[in-house]
Amino acid sequence: MTLPLEVENLTFGYNGRPVLQGVSFRLMPGEVLGLIGPNGAGKSTLIRLAAGLLRPLEGMVRLFGRAPQDWPPRALARQAALVPQGAYIPPTFTVWESALLGRTPYLGFLGVPRERDRQATWRALERVGIAHLADRFIGQLSGGERQRVVLARALAQEPRCLLLDEPTTHLDIHHQVAILSLIRRMALEDGIGVLIVLHDLNLASTFADRLALLVDGRLIALGDPRDVLRSDRLLAIYGSGITVFPRPDDGGRPVVLPRYWDEAVCLTE
Ligand code: ADP
């Protein structure tokens, strides 16, 4: 079976400064794998490497059995969709036109959308709850609405692997829950592999099947949220300003709460 994503002994750095070192994991079909870790740990860099925007210095990345760079670009875009942080969409495009961009890898020679493309675009807009905004210009949307357009564009691509870099940052809690529930359901029902960067540990704990914890470019834990989000580990990484509880209503999945921290006198980074 070719897997949505395989990362093996991946090492990368910018300008000779190491950012990722010896990272290995596999993303299974139908799985939501949450990528977590402190600021600057290398999460976005890992997503960019997975999408083929960067090349490994050592080790390898395989999307459905091949290095991203070895896929013809249109074929790759039908397999995997990337939602980068702060993705840009021209403000003069409408919501409909922006989501339709996700169909680019399917369009024929003249680029005219067919019924199938229109259907996939509507479905994506409906799924993220913005079909009623189809005629609005991007410049007239709130940050949260714009974020949902970017996600709709990725869903319109109908990928088998989703690479998402903090896709819910600008959303309120209702929309965060709605979007992450949708992503989880899609993964399960359509067998899509999802690698998702989430800096909110509670969202990660609630919505991911497994978590991958990156610290200083190394994968220090990989597995069930209950094992990865252990209190002693999080205190060592994030400092004493947190408390971790098992949730009684969700199989003991951990909840991470902030706590007043008397010694938090300065930020070192
Ligand atoms: P995270 O997503 O976990 O916050 P990043 O992958 O964005 O971490 O960044 C990891 C490290 O790489 C940081 O120290 C960051 O400053 C550095 N970095 C990120 N992008 C670049 C770049 N284009 N050029 C040089 N350094 C970068």
Side-chain angles (χ1 to χ4, degrees), residues 8-267:
E8 215 173 278
N9 198 25
L10 179 63
T11 296
F12 181 80
Y14 296 104
N15 313 316
R17 199 175 68 83
V19 168
L20 293 172
Q21 295 189 57
V23 174
S24 301
F25 65 89
R26 289 163 160 207
L27 175 67
M28 311 305 280
E31 176 184 42
V32 177
L33 177 60
L35 189 53
I36 56 171
N39 293 341
K43 304 180 295 295
S44 294
T45 302
L46 180 49
I47 287 271
R48 280 185 237 143
L49 282 153
L53 301 181
L54 301 170
R55 278 176 188 271
L57 283 185
E58 281 172 41
M60 58 112 219
V61 169
R62 272 200 293 257
L63 269 167
F64 296 104
R66 280 199 246 175
Q69 290 83 8
D70 292 345
W71 281 93
R74 276 166 63 96
L76 178 62
R78 283 184 230 142
Q79 302 294 329
L82 167 70
V83 172
Q85 244 185 78
Y88 175 78
I89 338 173
T92 52
F93 278 32
T94 65
V95 166
W96 165 261
E97 289 164 343
S98 308
L100 187 62
L101 284 177
R103 298 302 297 171
T104 309
Y106 296 91
L107 300 183
F109 178 58
L110 293 174
V112 180
R114 284 171 284 220
E115 188 50 32
R116 175 81 192 78
D117 302 306
R118 276 188 284 272
Q119 276 175 7
T121 305
W122 272 122
R123 185 163 153 73
L125 289 175
E126 277 163 4
R127 279 183 135 170
V128 302
I130 51 169
H132 63 291
L133 299 175
D135 295 330
R136 271 267 200 104
F137 289 102
I138 298 300
Q140 301 169 329
L141 300 180
S142 71
E145 288 164 343
R146 218 170 300 164
Q147 200 160 22
R148 285 190 279 160
V149 175
V150 176
L151 194 60
R153 182 174 63 184
L155 299 190
Q157 243 171 284
E158 296 185 322
R160 296 195 296 147
C161 177
L162 266 173
L163 304 169
L164 308 172
D165 196 348
E166 299 199 0
T168 57
T169 315
H170 297 292
L171 304 181
D172 61 45
I173 189 156
H174 165 74
H175 286 105
Q176 283 179 331
V177 168
I179 293 291
L180 292 172
S181 300
L182 165 74
I183 288 168
R184 181 124 187 234
R185 202 164 52 244
M186 281 179 54
L188 213 64
E189 289 172 3
D190 303 343
I192 300 172
V194 181
L195 179 64
I196 180 167
V197 174
L198 288 167
H199 72 244
D200 184 317
L201 298 176
N202 290 321
L203 291 177
S205 173
T206 307
F207 291 100
D209 298 301
R210 283 191 305 156
L211 294 178
L213 173 57
L214 262 189
V215 178
D216 290 336
R218 291 179 193 276
L219 193 59
I220 67 158
L222 175 67
D224 187 285
R226 282 161 282 242
D227 300 325
V228 173
L229 297 178
R230 280 200 338 242
S231 183
D232 54 340
R233 183 179 282 142
L234 295 189
L235 288 169
I237 296 168
Y238 291 98
S240 310
I242 55 170
T243 308
V244 185
F245 291 105
R247 270 181 76 144
D249 62 339
D250 193 11
R253 283 195 185 233
V255 199
V256 183
L257 292 177
R259 190 167 75 76
Y260 176 65
W261 182 16
D262 212 16
E263 290 153 43
V265 285
C266 66
L267 286 168

